[in-house]
Amino acid sequence: MTGQITLLSKREIEKMRVAGHLAAKLLKHLEAFVKIGVSTQSLNDEAERWTKAHGAKSAPLGYGADGDRKAFPRSICTSVNEVVCHGIPSPKQILKDGDIMNIDVTLIVEGYHGDTSRMYLLGEPSATAKRLVEVTKKCRQLGIEQVKPGNHIGDIGAAIQEYAESQGFSVVQDFVGHGISNVFHTEPQIAHYGEWGDGKKMRRGMVFTIEPMINEGRFEVKLLKDNWTAITKDKKLSAQYEHTIAVTDTGYEILTPYED
């Protein structure tokens, strides 16, 4: 994370809205291509084609080189089954019946970012997998419902953790939501676990992502040798849903709305 919390102007939020709505449309577009037997690389290639055709850029592509870690090599993240986040699309990874997959996209439009993700189910996943996906989706919504001026940032994570654990699942703690604007990752950090009343108070003009990663088993994760792909340490399933949210005068606006 870099910098202090920035309150965006109405003009800046409108730019975020444009980028966010386009990112949501990309997730909807990809739905028709998510099929048993296709590779995650083919999904990446279609996303890149669509992004360029709509005059936008992919924020993940080439992002995050740091020391020995190479920059992210693809335009989207495809996280299948036990992959928690930052899965790298590959021609060798073929989707199969019963898989669950998160696709995470971030588009840049006129310098501003739209960041969102959702789950896709292939064929007939297990009952546990389906329930995990539904619980994760509800976790995101419960977190979003805490967003309004005067509430604490910690309220978001408290609501998510309380529900996830009541359903027998766990909340990933190594990865968090983040502020976002014309910079990809900024303050504030949005943990998806925590205590009611903790953290800074929310103010109109804050924009950040809420993106809970919920695990079937334990919350611990492990980073693979590519220094990007994070998987559950116990190899059990993980799911994630994400929206970019703006704090308004009275509550919130979802800047990345999509039909699902």
Side-chain angles (χ1 to χ4, degrees):
M1 304 298 176
T2 58
Q4 298 179 337
I5 296 175
T6 300
L7 302 181
L8 302 190
S9 67
K10 290 183 178 179
R11 173 182 166 276
E12 289 175 307
I13 289 176
E14 172 56 27
K15 287 181 176 291
M16 293 291 293
R17 188 179 293 119
V18 170
H21 281 232
L22 192 65
K25 289 179 180 179
L26 173 55
L27 284 184
K28 182 64 176 177
H29 173 74
L30 290 175
E31 189 174 280
F33 297 86
V34 177
K35 298 178 181 179
I36 296 168
V38 307
S39 71
T40 52
Q41 180 67 49
S42 70
L43 298 175
N44 177 85
D45 294 346
E46 177 58 25
E48 181 65 16
R49 184 203 66 76
W50 190 94
T51 297
K52 289 179 178 178
H54 286 78
K57 294 181 180 179
S58 168
L61 183 62
Y63 177 82
D66 184 15
D68 292 334
R69 185 177 74 171
K70 296 180 179 179
F72 194 79
R74 301 291 187 269
S75 296
I76 62 175
C77 301
T78 51
S79 301
V80 181
N81 296 333
E82 75 277 8
V83 178
V84 175
C85 61
H86 304 153
I88 300 174
S90 167
K92 296 180 180 180
Q93 185 174 41
I94 307 300
L95 297 176
K96 62 184 185 300
D97 185 20
D99 284 344
I100 62 171
M101 174 179 61
N102 176 273
I103 297 182
D104 191 342
V105 305
T106 306
L107 299 187
I108 304 174
V109 182
E110 295 186 0
Y112 285 79
H113 294 74
D115 189 1
T116 185
S117 80
R118 58 160 288 192
M119 297 298 295
Y120 299 80
L121 280 65
L122 282 297
E124 191 62 32
S126 68
T128 298
K130 290 179 181 179
R131 194 167 73 84
L132 174 65
V133 168
E134 287 303 312
V135 168
T136 304
K137 186 177 178 183
K138 186 168 181 179
C139 281
R140 181 189 62 181
Q141 184 57 33
L142 290 172
I144 290 172
E145 289 172 1
Q146 297 305 314
V147 176
K148 65 178 180 180
N151 275 11
H152 292 263
I153 287 174
D155 297 344
I156 298 169
I160 290 169
Q161 184 178 20
E162 189 175 278
Y163 181 69
E165 292 181 352
S166 77
Q167 300 301 304
F169 298 126
S170 64
V171 181
V172 171
Q173 299 185 12
D174 289 53
F175 299 96
V176 298
H178 54 89
I180 186 168
S181 56
N182 57 345
V183 180
F184 197 169
H185 297 94
T186 66
E187 294 291 345
Q189 296 186 44
I190 308 296
H192 305 113
Y193 63 96
E195 302 291 334
W196 297 97
D198 275 359
K200 294 182 180 295
K201 288 186 176 181
M202 288 176 258
R203 298 173 58 189
R204 180 181 62 82
M206 285 184 176
V207 178
F208 46 76
T209 67
I210 296 177
E211 47 183 299
M213 287 150 266
I214 308 299
N215 289 352
E216 175 192 358
R218 296 183 57 81
F219 69 84
E220 293 92 350
V221 305
K222 182 174 89 171
L223 198 63
L224 298 186
K225 291 181 180 179
D226 61 28
N227 284 322
W228 281 107
T229 306
I231 66 170
T232 56
K233 202 166 186 180
D234 59 13
K235 302 293 181 68
K236 292 187 177 181
L237 298 173
S238 186
Q240 180 187 20
Y241 276 94
E242 175 182 15
H243 272 317
T244 298
I245 306 296
V247 183
T248 67
D249 288 323
T250 58
Y252 63 86
E253 178 185 352
I254 297 174
L255 297 176
T256 50
Y258 54 74
E259 298 176 9
D260 61 355

